[in-house]
Amino acid sequence: DVKVTQSSRYLVKRTGEKVFLECVQDMDHENMFWYRQDPGLGLRLIYFSYDVKMKEKGDIPEGYSVSREKKERFSLILESTSTNQTSMYLCASSFRGRGGGELFFGEGSRLTVL
Amino acid sequence: AQSVTQLGSHVSVSEGALVLLRCNYSSSVPPYLFWYVQYPNQGLQLLLKYTTGATLVKGINGFEAEFKKSETSFHLTKPSAHMSDAAEYFCAVSDPFGANNLFFGTGTRLTVIP
């Protein structure tokens, strides 16, 4: 089975602190994604990556950065957290293809910023 | 551009009753369409997907969906609801000729009443 593992399930941080969320997949997928999930808003794409060291902005990249140094690992970085970044963060991966690729999701990281 | 509208953020059905979750899409090209399910405190998992071919798609756990191009719809159904179906359901669309990311609807929370 495909496994996407997110490093932290629950985090509580204070405003201004740095947060590093790590995601690892074990299926040699080319694509990796970070989404943010909020009630009533669904999933919104923050960043995605098609290859090592490659990244593309999604719909809401402000306040976030990413790193992909190895194919299996995609990290989301919040340099200085704010309360409006309290949310559920979901990592996903897929094979590169003509849009028909199924996304495989991790279990999510719930971040609370006080 | 692609987008998805899910009608009804909350749907309640009695155990054994028909489940109908509505999804309408907007796409400038023939789309690929997906339904995902999210159980509490978990990531999303694929229920079913439509890419090409037969417009009635069968998925896991007895769910199915029909692609209706004339109505730009991809509604999810299950003939008889089970308590274990209680979850949040997301419809998503992708551009088969573009990037591999999915555009998600805002979700529908299904409650099953005993």
Side-chain angles (χ1 to χ4, degrees):
Chain A
D1 282 352
V2 174
K3 194 162 181 66
V4 179
T5 303
Q6 294 186 225
S7 56
S8 305
R9 291 295 306 276
Y10 301 94
L11 304 94
V12 179
K13 295 291 182 180
R14 297 200 177 276
T15 302
E17 288 186 320
K18 183 174 182 175
V19 173
F20 188 85
L21 300 178
E22 192 169 69
C23 175
V24 178
Q25 51 93 5
D26 65 359
M27 277 301 290
D28 203 33
H29 286 164
E30 294 88 1
N31 302 327
M32 296 190 75
F33 307 84
W34 276 105
Y35 286 90
R36 170 176 171 160
Q37 182 182 8
D38 299 289
L41 298 178
L43 278 72
R44 294 178 291 168
L45 183 64
I46 304 172
Y47 270 96
F48 58 100
S49 170
Y50 294 147
D51 203 348
V52 174
K53 296 191 183 296
M54 177 274 178
K55 60 185 178 184
E56 292 286 343
K57 293 181 179 179
D59 300 319
I60 52 165
E62 296 78 18
Y64 305 94
S65 62
V66 290
S67 172
R68 193 165 181 199
E69 296 296 319
K70 294 185 177 182
K71 189 176 184 180
E72 68 271 17
R73 197 177 298 265
F74 192 36
S75 302
L76 180 69
I77 303 151
L78 292 72
E79 288 287 346
S80 179
T81 52
S82 60
T83 54
N84 63 13
Q85 292 180 310
T86 292
S87 187
M88 171 72 90
Y89 292 88
L90 291 167
C91 176
S93 69
S94 73
F95 287 113
R96 185 182 299 156
R98 281 183 53 197
E102 173 187 353
L103 263 61
F104 293 85
F105 283 85
E107 293 193 318
S109 298
R110 185 170 294 281
L111 172 66
T112 302
V113 183
L114 303 176
Chain B
Q2 283 73 41
S3 67
V4 165
T5 301
Q6 291 185 241
L7 297 175
S9 58
H10 291 86
V11 171
S12 294
V13 299
S14 297
E15 190 174 15
L18 171 72
V19 176
L20 170 61
L21 304 182
R22 299 178 185 274
C23 172
N24 288 89
Y25 69 90
S26 173
S27 178
S28 54
V29 297
Y32 287 179
L33 294 159
F34 305 79
W35 275 100
Y36 281 82
V37 61
Q38 184 181 35
Y39 298 104
N41 298 315
Q42 294 187 23
L44 279 69
Q45 67 180 87
L46 184 70
L47 270 179
L48 49 80
K49 68 178 181 181
Y50 168 80
T51 54
T52 58
T55 56
L56 182 63
V57 181
K58 296 187 183 298
I60 61 172
N61 301 336
F63 284 93
E64 63 182 35
E66 186 170 12
F67 170 60
K68 292 187 176 181
K69 182 179 178 180
S70 61
E71 299 177 8
T72 62
S73 69
F74 191 57
H75 301 331
L76 182 71
T77 60
K78 181 174 180 178
S80 177
H82 192 272
M83 295 299 294
S84 60
D85 295 327
E88 189 152 23
Y89 293 80
F90 293 92
C91 184
V93 63
S94 73
D95 176 356
F97 301 98
N100 294 156
N101 54 301
L102 302 187
F103 298 88
F104 286 86
T106 52
T108 298
R109 183 168 298 280
L110 176 67
T111 300
V112 182
I113 303 165

